[in-house]
C-alpha cells in the first residue's frame, strides 16, 4: 500500500471509530451508519408511509432496507437489490446482482409483478477509484439506470430519492429530473459527512 493510501485509510478508520453515527448504529442495532441519512430525510420530508411498495437500490448491508421495512410496516413491501450479498430482513425481498445488468432489472420487475411502486430509493455508489472524473462517470451511470427504472415503475405521484456526487455533470442529471418530476430538492443530511461530495436528490410527483 502506498504511503498516501495508508495514511488516508488510517484517517478513515480513525474517523469511523470516533463517528457518533457509527456508535449510534451499534447501539440501536442497525447494520450501517447510512441509515441515519435516510432517517433524517424521512424526519423532514415524510416520504415513507405505512403500506408503501418501495424499491431499495444499492441496499447492502441493509441499513436503509431495515428502516424502510420498519416504517412501512407489515402491509408494505420492500424489494432490495445489491451487487453484494445481504443478510435477510423480514419484509424485504432481496435480489442479488448488478443493477446495470438488464437481467437483474428483469428479475426485479418480475418480483414486483403488477404492484404499483410508491418509492424508488437509490443509495448506490460505485467503488471509488480516487479519480474524480471516473468516479463521477460511474456514479452517473448508476443514477441514469435508477432513473430509467423509476420512470418505468413508479406510480404517478411516486417518489425518487437518489444519492449523487457533486460535479459538473450532475447539473444535467438534475435538469433531467426536473423534466420528469414536479419538485426536485437537493438535500445534504447532517449524517452525510461534510467533506464528502455526496448529496441526495429527492424528486416527487
Ligand atoms: C453506500 S452503500 C449502500 C448502503 C445501504 N443503503 C445501507 O444503508 O446499508 C452503496 C451500495 O451500492 C452497491 N452498488 C454499487 N454498484 C451497484 C450496482 N451496479 N448494482 C447494485 N448495487 C450496487 C454497493 O455494492 C453498495 O452496497
Amino acid at each position: 500500500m502506498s504511503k498516501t493510501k495508508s495514511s488516508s485509510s488510517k484517517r478513515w478508520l480513525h474517523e469511523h471509530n470516533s463517528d457518533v453515527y457509527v456508535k449510534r448504529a451499534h447501539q440501536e442495532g442497525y447494520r450501517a451508519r447510512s441509515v441515519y441519512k435516510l432517517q433524517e430525510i424521512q424526519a423532514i420530508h415524510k416520504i415513507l408511509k405505512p403500506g408503501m411498495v418501495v424499491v431499495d437500490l444499492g441496499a447492502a448491508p441493509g441499513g436503509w432496507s431495515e428502516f424502510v421495512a420498519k416504517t412501512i410496516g407489515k402491509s408494505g413491501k420492500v424489494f432490495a437489490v445489491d451487487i453484494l450479498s445481504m443478510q435477510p430482513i423480514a419484509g424485504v425481498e432481496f435480489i442479488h446482482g448488478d443493477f446495470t445488468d438488464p437481467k437483474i432489472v428483469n428479475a426485479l420487475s418480475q418480483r414486483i409483478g403488477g404492484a404499483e411502486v410508491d418509492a424508488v430509493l437509490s443509495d448506490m455508489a460505485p467503488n471509488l477509484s480516487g479519480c474524480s472524473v471516473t468516479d463521477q462517470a460511474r456514479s452517473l451511470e448508476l443514477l441514469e439506470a435508477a432513473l430509467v427504472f423509476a420512470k418505468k415503475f413508479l406510480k404517478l405521484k411516486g417518489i425518487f430519492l437518489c444519492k449523487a456526487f457533486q460535479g459538473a455533470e450532475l447539473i444535467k442529471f438534475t435538469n433531467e429530473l426536473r423534466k420528469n418530476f414536479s419538485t426536485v430538492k437537493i438535500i445534504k443530511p447532517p449524517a452525510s459527512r461534510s467533506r464528502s461530495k455526496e448529496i441526495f436528490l429527492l424528486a416527487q410527483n
Side-chain angles (χ1 to χ4, degrees):
M1 196 187 283
S2 73
K3 205 173 171 187
T4 338
K5 205 161 180 189
S6 97
S7 61
S8 75
S9 303
K10 274 187 198 153
R11 187 179 62 173
W12 183 88
L13 205 63
H14 175 74
E15 246 181 37
H16 184 78
N17 290 336
S18 54
D19 185 316
V20 286
Y21 288 104
V22 172
K23 288 184 183 143
R24 222 176 117 190
H26 280 303
Q27 282 160 4
E28 295 176 6
Y30 280 113
R31 298 174 179 202
R33 79 184 286 292
S34 49
V35 69
Y36 298 109
K37 299 174 199 171
L38 183 60
Q39 271 195 19
E40 287 165 356
I41 293 171
Q42 169 70 1
I44 293 175
H45 302 279
K46 314 269 187 270
I47 54 176
L48 301 168
K49 296 193 174 73
M52 276 185 159
V53 174
V54 179
V55 173
D56 181 14
L57 304 173
W64 281 30
S65 281
E66 277 182 315
F67 177 68
V68 175
K70 228 192 246 181
T71 310
I72 62 176
K74 286 201 172 122
S75 57
K77 185 84 204 159
V78 186
F79 298 92
V81 181
D82 205 292
I83 207 163
L84 300 177
S85 60
M86 185 170 103
Q87 291 297 314
I89 300 170
V92 178
E93 267 197 52
F94 181 63
I95 294 129
H96 187 188
D98 183 340
F99 185 70
T100 59
D101 178 350
K103 279 192 220 128
I104 297 301
V105 178
N106 202 25
L108 173 61
S109 64
Q110 281 185 3
R111 297 270 192 102
I112 293 171
E116 282 206 306
V117 176
D118 297 285
V120 172
L121 315 179
S122 171
D123 195 22
M124 282 190 290
N127 278 334
L128 296 181
S129 69
C131 166
S132 60
V133 178
T134 310
D135 292 340
Q136 177 77 195
R138 284 188 187 152
S139 163
L140 271 171
E141 188 195 352
L142 296 175
L143 283 170
E144 291 288 355
L147 177 59
V148 167
F149 179 85
K151 286 203 291 195
K152 193 163 169 200
F153 286 91
L154 269 183
K155 68 184 212 185
L156 202 62
K157 292 210 163 183
I159 289 156
F160 178 52
L161 173 70
C162 59
K163 172 161 69 191
F165 294 93
Q166 291 168 67
E169 287 298 311
L170 192 61
I171 297 165
K172 268 194 227 153
F173 182 77
T174 312
N175 287 339
E176 211 177 316
L177 280 184
R178 292 206 166 101
K179 282 186 207 147
N180 289 283
F181 295 86
S182 64
T183 61
V184 177
K185 290 173 187 150
I186 298 171
I187 303 170
K188 177 83 177 169
S192 174
R193 292 186 169 106
S194 51
R195 72 176 171 79
S196 160
K197 287 195 167 179
E198 164 189 272
I199 51 156
F200 290 84
L201 299 168
L202 173 60
Q204 285 168 294
N205 299 324

